[in-house]
């Protein structure tokens, strides 16, 4: 059993792997990673052996293109059962599951999460989402609430789970959305609670994350350390000033590593111009912008469209030294963690572990 969850360790810059339980990028490139179970386990063990802190699958119930049953984006390993298996196959890394709150009752999630936490010896963490894709909600036959109401529901849902995790007896819950009598959930997490991550991109989403999560996953944009420091600083100030708490701020980063910057940029050009999955890109950007109230013409939306072939996030593209330099600048700007995705995870993570980690350790942001 770990003395604390790895996401709370002493490293200034936490690192992890993201989005490996489905297609990681919106490209038709043949080297695109496929979520075959044995390969997912091997990838988790690579990250674990390298000392990374987080292994974070996403939640998807439907892919990006309607009437395309065979499209790769429809193939997604369910994140809670995925996390339970990964927990058994690893020893040190924090194992996450992602959940879309309105699709599952909090009593079920409380027990699922606690069970995985017990399996992992206290290494479980949860990424909570209020819902982002109306087409998925149609599959469940439930209404997707408007943007603000979505976060009211999510706050009640998460509060219910936390009460179940901490309770010393049966409890009654009567809130706006939940009525539960004599409720309990055992086992409980190893330390009564598990770390919560939430990605807030809109002002409402960021306020929810600042008040309710341990890790705020931010959509960074801009080109310089002052740009990033301003965004990160506002997030941390919101958590401290309004809620009296400290919050880690992380970002997700699609990553392309090659021996030189030119080789990395050429591979990125290849994905963007030669083998993009354009229908998936168009649908993904439209959905993400609509459901997160990202204004047309905003810097955030321009950034998303420009980089969508790799999925959403802050792109890290370059040589080992260039990628390390950018990570060090992000850390200096106040960022606490980066979860990375790759088109080819084995090649990408292998290069990262071999070539980038030593630079970060030498710079003092990793132990």
């Amino acid at each position: 059993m770990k003395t604390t969850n790895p996401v709370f360790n002493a490293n200034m810059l936490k690192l992890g792997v993201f989005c490996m339980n489905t297609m990681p990028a919106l490209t038709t490139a043949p080297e695109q990673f496929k979520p075959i179970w044995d390969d997912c386990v091997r990838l988790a063990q690579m990250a674990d052996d390298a000392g990374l802190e987080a292994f974070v699958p996403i939640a998807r119930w439907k892919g990006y293109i309607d009437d395309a049953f065979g499209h790769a984006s429809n193939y997604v390993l369910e994140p809670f059962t995925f996390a339970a298996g990964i927990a058994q196959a690893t020893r040190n890394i924090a194992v996450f599951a992602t959940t879309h709150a309105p699709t599952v009752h909090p009593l079920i999630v409380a027990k699922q999460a606690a069970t995985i936490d017990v399996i992992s010896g206290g290494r479980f963490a949860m990424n909570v989402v209020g819902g982002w894709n109306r087409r998925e909600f149609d599959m469940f036959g439930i209404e997707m609430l408007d943007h603000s109401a979505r976060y009211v529901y999510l706050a009640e849902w998460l509060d219910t789970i936390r009460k179940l995790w901490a309770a010393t007896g049966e409890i009654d819950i009567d809130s706006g959305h939940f009525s539960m009598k004599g409720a309990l959930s055992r086992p409980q997490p190893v330390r009564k609670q598990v770390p919560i991550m939430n990605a807030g991109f809109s002002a409402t989403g960021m306020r929810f994350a600042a008040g309710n999560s341990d890790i705020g996953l931010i959509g960074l944009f801009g080109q310089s350390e002052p740009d990033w420091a301003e965004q990160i600083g506002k997030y941390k100030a919101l958590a401290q000033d309004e809620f009296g708490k400290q919050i880690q701020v992380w970002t997700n980063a699609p990553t392309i590593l090659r021996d030189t910057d030119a080789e990395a940029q050429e591979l990125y050009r290849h994905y963007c111009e030669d083998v993009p999955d354009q229908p998936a890109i168009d649908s993904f950007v439209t959905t993400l912008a609509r459901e997160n109230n990202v204004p047309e013409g905003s810097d955030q939306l321009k950034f998303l469209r420009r980089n969508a072939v790799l999925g959403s996030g802050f792109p890290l593209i370059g040589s080992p030294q260039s990628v390390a330099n950018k990570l060090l600048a992000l850390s200096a700007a106040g960022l606490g963690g980066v979860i990375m995705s790759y088109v080819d995870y084995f090649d990408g993570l292998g290069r990262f572990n071999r070539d980038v980690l030593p630079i970060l350790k030498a710079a003092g942001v990793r132990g």
Side-chain angles (χ1 to χ4, degrees), residues 231-254:
Q231 296 165 65
I232 296 164
K234 284 181 178 179
Y235 217 140
K236 291 182 176 180
L238 177 63
Q240 183 63 55
D241 297 344
E242 274 205 52
F243 303 102
K245 63 190 285 284
Q246 293 185 336
I247 187 173
Q248 293 188 44
V249 179
W250 292 19
T251 198
N252 61 298

Side-chain angles (χ1 to χ4, degrees), residues 83-261:
I86 294 298
Q88 185 65 11
T90 54
R91 292 294 174 265
N92 296 296
I93 198 167
V95 180
F96 280 70
T98 299
T99 179
H100 292 165
T103 66
V104 60
H105 194 279
L107 185 61
I108 295 174
V109 174
K111 186 173 283 287
Q112 287 176 318
T115 300
I116 301 170
D117 202 48
V118 169
I119 291 170
S120 67
R123 292 184 288 120
F124 181 66
M126 193 161 67
N127 178 30
V128 301
V129 183
W132 77 285
N133 188 340
R134 202 170 300 273
R135 293 156 55 251
E136 292 184 332
F137 276 58
D138 290 343
M139 289 173 60
F140 283 91
I142 57 178
E143 180 182 356
M144 188 167 179
L145 299 172
D146 67 40
H147 191 72
S148 296
R150 202 178 307 163
Y151 284 101
V152 173
Y153 180 95
L154 184 56
E156 289 185 22
W157 180 91
L158 183 56
D159 183 60
T160 298
I161 291 172
R162 283 175 160 157
K163 286 177 178 176
L164 290 165
W165 282 341
T168 57
E170 295 183 0
I171 58 174
D172 296 337
I173 293 173
D174 188 12
S175 65
H177 294 93
F178 303 105
S179 179
M180 301 165 63
K181 296 187 183 302
L184 62 84
S185 178
R186 296 192 66 197
Q188 291 172 312
V190 170
R191 283 174 282 274
K192 295 295 185 183
Q193 300 290 330
V194 301
I196 298 298
M197 173 189 284
N198 176 258
F201 298 108
S202 66
T204 303
M206 289 178 68
R207 189 175 185 279
F208 172 86
N212 293 277
S213 63
D214 302 288
I215 300 168
L217 194 65
I218 193 171
L220 279 177
F221 55 93
Q223 301 297 323
S224 67
E225 186 179 319
D227 292 336
W228 309 326
E230 181 181 3
Q231 296 165 65
I232 296 164
K234 284 181 178 179
Y235 217 140
K236 291 182 176 180
L238 177 63
Q240 183 63 55
D241 297 344
E242 274 205 52
F243 303 102
K245 63 190 285 284
Q246 293 185 336
I247 187 173
Q248 293 188 44
V249 179
W250 292 19
T251 198
N252 61 298
T255 303
I256 297 177
L257 265 171
R258 281 296 180 269
D259 292 338
T260 67
D261 289 341

Side-chain angles (χ1 to χ4, degrees), residues 271-285:
Y271 291 144
C272 289
E273 298 178 12
D274 300 337
V275 287
D277 188 340
Q278 198 60 51
I281 291 171
D282 293 342
S283 176
F284 174 71
V285 171

